[in-house]
Amino acid sequence: MFEFLRSYIIYLALLSGTVGLIYLHKLPSNKAKFLLLLIWFSVLTEFVGYYFTQWTGLLNYYVYNFYMFVTFVAYILLLRSLLQKISNRISAVLFLILFIVSFFLNILYFKKDINHSFTYSFAIGVILVMLLSCLYLIEIFNSDKILNFKKSVFFWYVLGILVFHVPVLPFMLAINWFLIKQDESIFSLVLFILNCLAHGCFIIGFVWSEKKYNY
């Protein structure tokens, strides 16, 4: 019933990416522009993922596993750059190493046929990003940035990441661990709603943020 929604996710990314281009003047630093690059990377991934099976005859897990690897590495590096405390930045580096190792262990686990969803690497990535995001928010709330945190595009981007990944994680694990039959209709609906919330946060960040808080 809702299977068609899965193919509309690309339009949400296109919308937030276009809004980001319109408000590009508010993104003065390379770090801020990097957020926009990640959104357009997701647009490219959705496009390639949609046609991958048609082009190659293979399932599109290759595309989305590669996307997961790149985006989680990018998220961790982004959060590291936002963190101020040395101990938190060191934790981010260790988390990055842990995620990369988990990803390649996942490849070894599926070495006969790696065209599977890397659910364990996804779970580890979500947990690590969630922990770093909490450290980032704690730093904000314990500093003078608390007065203007809503005017930073980084805050809204991190919120968008959390809004999408934290709810989707138990859903993915339930399918994988408890052998719940994956209903494509429900799966598409959940992904579409969470993408709406995430890209909504991105759009608010682009529109509401102020240039001086986006360095």
Side-chain angles (χ1 to χ4, degrees):
M1 182 177 179
F2 297 108
E3 292 89 345
F4 67 96
L5 290 175
R6 181 69 180 83
S7 62
Y8 286 174
I9 291 175
I10 189 173
Y11 297 110
L12 298 174
L14 277 170
L15 176 60
S16 64
T18 301
V19 172
L21 289 176
I22 293 172
Y23 288 93
L24 187 61
H25 62 280
K26 289 187 177 184
L27 309 177
S29 64
N30 290 332
K31 184 165 58 177
K33 292 182 176 67
F34 183 63
L35 307 183
L36 187 58
L37 180 63
L38 286 176
I39 292 174
W40 282 102
F41 179 60
S42 70
V43 173
L44 177 62
T45 301
E46 288 294 337
F47 177 79
V48 174
Y50 186 79
Y51 290 104
F52 186 79
T53 301
Q54 180 179 327
W55 292 340
T56 65
L58 301 172
L59 297 176
N60 59 13
Y61 288 122
Y62 290 112
V63 177
Y64 289 106
N65 285 333
F66 175 74
Y67 172 74
M68 178 192 66
F69 176 77
V70 172
T71 52
F72 276 117
V73 167
Y75 293 158
I76 294 172
L77 290 175
L78 172 65
L79 286 161
R80 180 187 178 277
S81 71
L82 295 174
L83 293 167
Q84 299 298 314
K85 290 185 177 180
I86 297 298
S87 58
N88 291 341
R89 292 169 67 88
I90 292 174
S91 296
V93 173
L94 295 176
F95 285 1
L96 176 62
I97 294 171
L98 177 59
F99 174 72
I100 293 174
V101 169
S102 75
F103 185 86
F104 284 99
L105 285 177
N106 224 153
I107 291 178
L108 291 176
Y109 181 77
F110 288 123
K111 60 184 178 180
K112 292 183 178 179
D113 180 12
I114 63 171
N115 199 12
H116 291 79
S117 177
F118 287 4
T119 306
Y120 298 120
S121 293
F122 178 80
I124 292 172
V126 171
I127 293 171
L128 297 179
V129 167
M130 183 173 63
L131 292 173
L132 290 176
S133 299
C134 289
L135 293 176
Y136 166 66
L137 294 175
I138 290 171
E139 285 192 359
I140 288 179
F141 296 146
N142 289 330
S143 70
D144 55 4
K145 293 181 180 179
I146 186 64
L147 300 174
N148 299 293
F149 71 95
K150 292 181 181 179
K151 298 178 182 179
S152 169
V153 71
F154 301 114
F155 167 78
W156 289 104
Y157 192 84
V158 171
L159 182 62
I161 292 173
L162 292 176
V163 162
F164 176 81
H165 287 91
V166 174
V168 84
L169 177 58
F171 184 71
M172 296 288 289
L173 292 180
I175 293 174
N176 191 67
W177 287 354
F178 302 110
L179 303 179
I180 297 173
K181 184 178 180 181
Q182 180 173 324
D183 186 319
E184 286 299 325
S185 180
I186 296 176
F187 187 68
S188 296
L189 178 61
V190 169
L191 284 183
F192 183 78
I193 292 173
L194 294 180
N195 271 279
C196 280
L197 295 173
H199 287 287
C201 289
F202 301 158
I203 291 171
I204 292 173
F206 291 134
V207 175
W208 201 347
S209 67
E210 295 181 13
K211 184 176 181 179
K212 62 181 178 180
Y213 299 110
N214 292 339
Y215 283 95

